[in-house]
Amino acid sequence: MTEETPPAQGWALDDRAVRTQLERILASDHFDASDRNRRFLRYVVEECLDGRAQQIKAYCIAVSVFNREPSFDPQSDPIVRLEAGRLRRSLEHYYLTAGREDPIRIVVPKGGYAPASSGCTTIRPLLCPTLVPFRRRTQCAGRSPCASPGWPPSC
């Protein structure tokens, strides 16, 4: 039996599978997150799936998710940074409890807000491949002034 090659950098799981996992997380009683952190997670996952991972920045999240004014200054208001920490803890708790057997993991790595995913292959179900960014289908041409660094794969 040959081993399946992990996804190449820049490619990730099927969009439907990621959306299914997102809905599973949001519906779980073990995902202990506020309504706004649930909106935060949905927003960053959908932005990535729609090809706008590079636009996910504190400013965009504050204006789009937390209803901050366009004059929002992420340097003077830490709301996004604080909520991202809470979201990371909620996701970690979910994957330690109800989601421990889930085939896909959605994480928001420290140092940014764009989520990454990992999935276990059917050939090697106990070994998950490297976290990779959601695949980008299109580039957003000037939709917002936000830009985000790319994700280096990490284990």
Side-chain angles (χ1 to χ4, degrees):
M1 181 178 271
T2 61
E3 288 188 350
E4 189 174 292
T5 306
Q9 185 175 351
W11 291 94
L13 304 164
D14 176 77
D15 291 1
R16 264 181 299 158
V18 173
R19 283 189 174 96
T20 298
Q21 180 63 30
L22 172 64
E23 295 307 322
R24 181 180 294 127
I25 293 168
L26 295 174
S28 175
D29 292 338
H30 292 275
F31 183 58
D32 184 27
S34 65
D35 285 339
R36 78 170 155 187
N37 267 343
R38 290 169 183 273
R39 288 191 318 266
F40 187 168
L41 180 61
R42 182 179 298 282
Y43 174 80
V44 296
V45 168
E46 290 297 335
E47 287 295 292
C48 281
L49 291 174
D50 288 341
R52 294 186 292 270
Q54 298 300 321
Q55 280 77 21
I56 299 175
K57 287 293 197 183
Y59 176 84
C60 296
I61 295 166
V63 172
S64 299
V65 177
F66 301 141
N67 299 318
R68 293 297 200 256
E69 295 295 321
S71 60
F72 174 79
D73 178 11
Q75 299 300 319
S76 63
D77 186 344
I79 184 73
V80 178
R81 207 169 39 247
L82 294 173
E83 292 299 323
R86 291 182 182 119
L87 177 58
R88 289 181 186 110
R89 286 188 296 279
S90 295
L91 284 168
E92 183 178 345
H93 174 75
Y94 170 78
Y95 284 115
L96 288 172
T97 57
R100 68 183 168 275
E101 299 293 325
D102 287 2
I104 298 172
R105 291 180 182 264
I106 298 173
V107 296
V108 179
K110 289 184 180 180
Y113 305 111
S117 65
S118 69
C120 294
T121 66
T122 56
I123 294 174
R124 299 182 330 178
L126 299 177
L127 301 175
C128 290
T130 304
L131 290 175
V132 294
F134 295 127
R135 99 175 146 258
R136 284 192 313 241
R137 290 188 298 231
T138 59
Q139 291 290 350
C140 178
R143 180 165 177 236
S144 75
C146 306
S148 171
W151 285 106
S154 63
C155 294

